[in-house]
């Protein structure tokens, strides 16, 4: 029995060719993933760590393989990525500006409406401290709560703010913030801000 007997049909020829190419090159092979029909009666995804066996002159004579079943972890990762893409698509479709920061105020997500309002592209804001990227020049609380970093991570806040955006433009907005609560631990992991333009700016 060869090493490719239990592989998925669409991977056999490719995997065999890759093996012989790796042996011919003499270079240490990278980690690969293959679908193997195992004792469960199903194809499972395996992670292969490989190393060349060499003769005294250093020429490849074979290959050692250590492999592990990563089917569940790969599925969990794919599901998490799918959920993240769905959430980002949903937030991107909202007409109001949405900015998500971590607990230190570092921007983690900006939707297209926030890009339009601020004049900055998402990659210009991401990983920057929101207070530095878009300074707040004035704030009038609508709920009687003064806005500061402690308030945003403790409770929901709403008010009218004047923001300094790209090219020194001032924009008056209605801003609502809410702490982001980790559903597993109950701890605060960041702040979500929904921002709606009140006037055309100056």
């Amino acid at each position: 029995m060869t090493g490719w007997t239990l592989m998925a049909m669409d991977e056999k020829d490719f995997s065999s060719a890759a093996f012989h190419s790796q042996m011919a090159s003499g270079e240490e092979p990278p980690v690969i993933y293959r679908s193997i029909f195992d004792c469960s009666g199903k194809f499972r995804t395996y992670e292969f760590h490989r190393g060349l066996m060499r003769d005294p002159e250093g020429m490849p004579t074979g290959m050692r393989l250590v492999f592990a079943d990563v089917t569940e972890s790969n599925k969990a990762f794919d599901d998490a990525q799918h959920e993240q893409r769905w959430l980002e698509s949903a937030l991107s479709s909202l007409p109001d500006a949405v900015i998500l920061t971590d607990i230190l105020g570092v921007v983690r997500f900006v939707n297209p409406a926030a890009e339009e309002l601020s004049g900055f592209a998402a990659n210009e804001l991401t990983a920057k401290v929101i207070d530095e990227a878009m300074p707040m020049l004035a704030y009038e609380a609508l709920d009687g709560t003064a806005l500061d970093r402690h308030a945003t991570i403790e409770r929901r806040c709403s008010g009218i703010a004047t923001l300094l955006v790209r090219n020194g433009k001032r924009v008056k907005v209605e801003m609502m913030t809410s702490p982001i609560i980790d559903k597993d631990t109950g701890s605060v992991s960041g702040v979500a801000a929904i921002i709606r333009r009140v006037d055309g700016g100056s």
Side-chain angles (χ1 to χ4, degrees):
M1 182 180 294
T2 71
W4 300 280
T5 301
L6 299 178
M7 282 189 178
M9 290 297 296
D10 59 348
E11 292 184 3
K12 286 184 179 181
D13 292 342
F14 167 79
S15 182
S16 176
F19 169 81
H20 289 99
S21 175
Q22 197 73 57
M23 292 291 292
S25 74
E27 297 179 358
E28 286 300 321
V31 175
I32 59 172
Y33 296 85
R34 294 289 185 263
S35 297
I36 302 293
F37 190 79
D38 67 8
C39 60
S40 70
K42 299 178 181 179
F43 279 103
R44 309 278 294 177
T45 301
Y46 282 81
E47 180 179 270
F48 284 78
H49 294 259
R50 303 171 296 165
L52 294 180
M53 296 184 293
R54 302 176 185 272
D55 63 20
E57 285 72 40
M59 298 300 295
T61 59
M63 188 178 292
R64 299 183 182 90
L65 299 97
V66 176
F67 53 95
D69 186 343
V70 294
T71 307
E72 275 72 29
S73 60
N74 277 12
K75 183 179 184 303
F77 179 75
D78 290 342
D79 289 347
Q81 282 197 315
H82 176 75
E83 184 176 350
Q84 180 178 348
R85 286 193 297 268
W86 185 91
L87 180 59
E88 289 179 354
S89 297
L91 293 175
S92 294
S93 69
L94 295 177
D96 294 328
V98 176
I99 299 177
L100 307 181
T101 72
D102 65 17
I103 198 168
L104 298 177
V106 177
V107 177
R108 295 304 184 195
F109 174 83
V110 176
N111 74 344
E115 291 181 290
E116 182 180 356
L117 182 145
S118 68
F120 293 106
N123 61 6
E124 294 178 289
L125 291 175
T126 303
K128 290 184 171 60
V129 177
I130 186 62
D131 294 339
E132 297 174 0
M134 293 172 56
M136 187 165 58
L137 304 179
Y139 183 80
E140 178 186 351
L142 296 177
D143 56 2
T145 302
L147 188 71
D148 56 31
R149 183 65 53 78
H150 293 294
T152 60
I153 63 176
E154 289 177 355
R155 65 182 72 87
R156 293 179 179 177
C157 302
S158 63
I160 303 298
T162 300
L163 303 177
L164 186 65
V165 295
R166 194 174 197 123
N167 298 324
K169 184 178 180 180
R170 300 180 180 213
V171 179
K172 191 173 183 179
V173 299
E174 180 182 1
M175 183 164 61
M176 294 159 284
T177 67
S178 178
I180 300 172
I181 309 298
D182 187 295
K183 64 181 181 181
D184 294 323
T185 66
S187 61
V188 177
S189 59
V191 176
I194 298 177
I195 305 170
R196 186 176 299 130
R197 190 188 297 269
V198 174
D199 65 7
S202 60

